[in-house]
Amino acid sequence: MKLTLGFSPCPNDTFIFDALIHHKIDTEGLDFEVFYDDVETLNQKAFRGELDVTKLSYHAFAYVADKYVLLDAGSALGYGVGPMLICNKDPEKLHLQLTTRHSPLTIGIPGKYTTANFLLGYAFPNAINKVELVFSDIENAVLEGRVDVGLIIHENRFTYQDKGLKKILDLGDYWEKQTGCAIPLGGIVANRNLPLGVQHKLNRVLRKSVEFAFANPKSGLEFIRSHAQEMSEEVMYKHIELYVNKYSIDLGEEGRKAINLLFDTALANQTIPAIKEELFLTSLAH
């Protein structure tokens, strides 16, 4: 059975999916046609229901829970992994301006439906002057003065200081201090139109793929490097270490609690629609 699969070219995703798409594990008869896109493009594809299986932002998942169900394996949750607000000058002054009622600052964001943008709204509800950019262009947009503030994700956590940029706030850290929970960034979802048995099979083989990657961390090195935008091996594996962890093998009770809290908070703030469907594929009893 061949399924369409979308994930990002970032090291955490290529690390997770390497064994799955290259049949280094038993995929139980499943084969995949792969699409590599940045996360906001994947979010948009999910809105259109284009793919059988896809990575997407947790923020975006709230809008497509009627179309997709969340797998237990493959998620990016964690501590110290959140998006960061950066600037080119005086971070304290800009932090204060972000809190004012009608903040004049323009903020470069990696997409409206990213979890990063949800967290920005959570920390700075008055900061509404946003410009959508591809995540990898945000640092340069700040440096060139096209935006006042940048909301960075992925490997840019490791590179912004090298470019002379300064941190205003780590939004993941802010979330953790407010809630005590890990921050849910992105998850892997399966189309609800797929038979339930196939959804469970996907979850099993994806878990096996993550476990294989942990057991053989250098197995996918060439594949990861080929998609990693000229990143050094050290930065690639720092990136993987940050975003791939126990929650990527199985969400567990803690992971589910963090996701439910994210959605409950967003519902209370009226930033996502009400969700009627069960979010998770399997019950905790399984």
Side-chain angles (χ1 to χ4, degrees), residues 86-89 94 104-108 131 133 137-150 165:
I86 57 156
C87 62
N88 204 10
K89 54 187 181 240
L94 291 175
L105 299 177
T106 54
I107 307 163
V131 180
L133 299 166
D137 190 36
I138 290 173
E139 287 174 323
N140 283 338
V142 175
L143 286 167
E144 293 162 12
R146 287 184 277 137
V147 294
D148 300 308
V149 174
L165 294 164

Side-chain angles (χ1 to χ4, degrees), residues 40 43-44 47 57-60 63 111-115 117 132:
E40 187 66 357
N43 291 341
Q44 295 296 333
F47 293 156
S57 303
Y58 272 108
H59 185 191
Y63 293 84
K112 180 180 177 182
Y113 297 102
T114 56
T115 306
N117 187 42
E132 291 191 58

Side-chain angles (χ1 to χ4, degrees), residues 8 14 181 222 243 251 260 262 277:
S8 84
T14 47
C181 281
E222 290 312 311
Y243 297 109
L251 285 169
N260 282 325
L262 183 82
E277 292 76 17

Side-chain angles (χ1 to χ4, degrees), residues 121-137:
Y122 177 70
F124 298 104
N126 295 321
I128 56 173
N129 193 7
K130 300 171 183 179
V131 180
E132 291 191 58
L133 299 166
V134 176
F135 81 91
S136 52
D137 190 36

